[in-house]
Amino acid sequence: MFDLFSDVFAGKDNLLTRTDARVKMLAACTLILCVLLSGTMRMPAAALLLGLGTMAAVGVPARIILLRLAAPLSIVLVLVMLQMFLTKGAVLFRVSWLDITLTASREGLMHGCAMGIKVLGSVAVITLLGCVTPAHTLFHALRWFWIPHNWIETALLMYRYTFMLLEQTADVAAAQRLRLGYSGWRRAIRSLGVLAGTVLARSMDQAMRTYDAMVLRGYNGRFPFAPLPRMRPAEVAGALAVVCGIGILFFILERWLP
């Protein structure tokens, strides 16, 4: 749980962590936009390799990288399977079970892989951004992109209390295991239902307590945010250079290469 959600690597001292969060967010958004607009798998693959290579260069262990990409990778596998069996084209193989026959097509496999590599490339960029930028600076920088104030407040509260709910979930699950709550599949299903209900009830209680505490501290429907500092000329030039570099890379990979 700590490996999946901690931003401990954002506290290290390196070139990326020292860079202004607005510059990094602008570069990440530009790169993701290029990935989504790409017509081939070259740009998504380049974004994926860039994200993985940069995370390795700043010292993120390979085990943590794999853990953070595990959930998107499972979604990609399902996406590839669906496209492979639901898209018509040249037959690769057939799978028969009872009276059902599924046919895998070459075109479906290629289409699924193209969609999957876009997902992985975008996720790698977002994961890299989270590894080199503390969460509070990301939320602060979102104001520069004209994100609605209420959205930022909601994101702040979600980020703050996600860890508390995860800790409570782990405590309830540990108590259930001590009482043999997962000794059989029937009992495990019942325990999971109790766990989900308990966490939902505790989240509602926590929401009411949090709101009362905020009102007592002078909350009037709007969080106070410190003003954003001006970007230095070097940071502006760096942001423009990165955006132009990503655009040139996109042109080379998508238009210039055959």
Side-chain angles (χ1 to χ4, degrees):
M1 192 178 300
F2 176 80
D3 291 341
L4 286 176
F5 297 103
S6 175
D7 58 355
V8 63
F9 301 102
K12 294 186 176 181
D13 184 26
N14 53 58
L15 177 61
L16 288 178
T17 55
R18 291 193 299 267
T19 304
D20 190 278
R22 290 167 288 185
V23 176
K24 290 181 283 188
M25 292 184 67
L26 184 61
C29 291
T30 304
L31 189 54
I32 291 175
L33 181 62
C34 290
V35 168
L36 296 178
L37 295 178
S38 63
T40 66
M41 291 190 287
R42 296 169 184 162
M43 189 66 196
L48 177 60
L49 293 176
L50 178 64
L52 296 178
T54 308
M55 282 188 283
V58 298
V60 182
R63 180 177 62 87
I64 295 180
I65 297 176
L66 292 176
L67 281 174
R68 296 190 177 185
L69 294 180
L73 183 59
S74 62
I75 297 175
V76 167
L77 292 177
V78 173
L79 184 64
V80 172
M81 295 294 291
L82 289 176
Q83 292 294 322
M84 186 170 57
F85 286 108
L86 297 180
T87 303
K88 295 182 179 180
V91 178
L92 288 176
F93 60 88
R94 288 185 173 88
V95 177
S96 298
W97 182 71
L98 297 178
D99 295 332
I100 301 175
T101 301
L102 298 177
T103 303
S105 65
R106 187 188 309 274
E107 289 77 4
L109 177 61
M110 296 303 297
H111 186 55
C113 290
M115 296 175 65
I117 195 66
K118 286 186 178 183
V119 174
L120 291 178
S122 302
V123 170
V125 173
I126 293 297
T127 305
L128 172 62
L129 180 63
C131 287
V132 297
T133 313
H136 66 279
T137 59
L138 283 176
F139 294 132
H140 199 197
L142 284 174
R143 297 175 56 220
W144 189 74
F145 290 90
W146 298 96
I147 302 298
H149 199 279
N150 292 334
W151 290 16
I152 300 176
E153 289 184 4
T154 303
L156 278 168
L157 291 173
M158 289 175 61
Y159 182 80
R160 167 65 180 86
Y161 289 101
T162 293
F163 301 99
M164 182 177 295
L165 291 178
L166 286 173
E167 185 178 354
Q168 292 178 356
T169 303
D171 293 340
V172 174
Q176 289 177 331
R177 284 194 299 269
L178 289 175
R179 292 164 176 81
L180 302 180
Y182 298 93
S183 57
W185 69 272
R186 292 180 183 272
R187 186 174 295 177
I189 293 176
R190 190 180 302 112
S191 298
L192 286 175
V194 173
L195 176 63
T198 303
V199 173
L200 180 60
R202 291 189 178 183
S203 65
M204 297 296 294
D205 293 338
Q206 183 62 55
M208 291 185 289
R209 290 197 300 268
T210 300
Y211 178 74
D212 292 339
M214 291 166 58
V215 170
L216 289 174
R217 288 164 175 80
Y219 178 70
N220 57 359
R222 190 177 181 87
F223 277 178
F225 285 101
L228 289 168
R230 288 182 175 272
M231 294 181 63
R232 295 174 297 177
E235 294 173 341
V236 175
L240 293 176
V242 170
V243 171
C244 292
I246 294 174
I248 294 173
L249 178 63
F250 177 79
F251 177 79
I252 292 175
L253 295 178
E254 297 292 325
R255 302 286 185 239
W256 189 65
L257 292 179

